[in-house]
Amino acid sequence: MKIDLQYLAFIAIEATLSAGKVIQKYMNADIIVEQKDGGSTYASQVVTKVDLECERIILSHLQPTCEASDIGLLSEESNDDGSRFEKDYFWCIDPMDGTLAFINKQPGFSVSIALIAKDGTPVIGVVFDPSTETLYHAIKGHGAYKNRTSWNIKNTNDYLTYATDKTLNNTANSAEIQQILNKHKTTLGLKGIKELSGAGAVMCAILALENGPACFFKLPKKEIGGGSIWDYAATACIYQEFGLQATTFSGETLDLNKRDSTFMNDEGVCYANLA
């Protein structure tokens, strides 16, 4: 079935902004935190009523398109029903990425929605940052946008920005990561390295675009985690439209429709805005 990407992007933007309003309503409230099955880290196991309310709002916008255009669904707070393997396209939803940042009342949380083809290619990516009220989106072949205006990034810093959820001091393999950062710094002739820590994976990728030259990556690991498909789907589309790297750690194409698991720990990820 042929789909209208412009129309579906409009619906995804409306859904993202609606969920963003829910988050903004609770930003200064004390929220009860619950735990769910997740990866090996606390960040992947926490959930709040806000995550669930955001998901309900998003699905109210997207489900009619699933029926009208025969689109599958994958959402962080719902069971994977396998429709992503059956349909030509599926919605990939993170109702609130960076829940830990939200709980700690610090910036770094966001709403993220993507439309992914069955072969794992992202064709729409929408991200809303409720803290700054900034909307980012991209449509395959139509460029990237910030607050609905064509977005041109400018890398003007004389240092390398490392966007990360955890501080380098609190990260496994920190010595290996430091070595990678130093190599980029030297290659690019930069004066130093600056760390931006505490955001979820979605906003880490956005911060790397906003603070170039910059990178965000996760090394491959055996433990379950490393983010899930929904953590990378929307921003992979945005990076794709900039012609920038959003790949596995080794530089292979990200598989955004993995069959064995939604987790990305086996191959890691690498987002680079170093040009």
Side-chain angles (χ1 to χ4, degrees), residues 41 43 97-98 100-101 104 106-109 160-174 177-178 181 193-209 211 213-219 221 226 232 239 269 271:
T41 63
D97 182 63
L100 206 52
N104 294 331
Q106 64 186 53
F109 47 89
L160 174 68
T161 301
Y162 171 53
T164 173
D165 51 350
K166 295 180 182 175
T167 61
L168 195 52
N169 292 339
N170 193 32
T171 305
N173 304 106
S174 58
I177 292 170
Q178 188 69 59
L181 296 174
I193 298 165
K194 181 179 176 181
E195 181 180 282
L196 287 179
S197 64
V202 173
M203 284 310 299
C204 278
I206 295 294
L207 287 168
L209 292 175
N211 296 276
C215 59
F216 159 59
F217 57 86
K218 286 187 176 289
L219 300 175
K221 63 176 185 177
Y232 305 112
Y239 271 66
V269 296
Y271 280 72

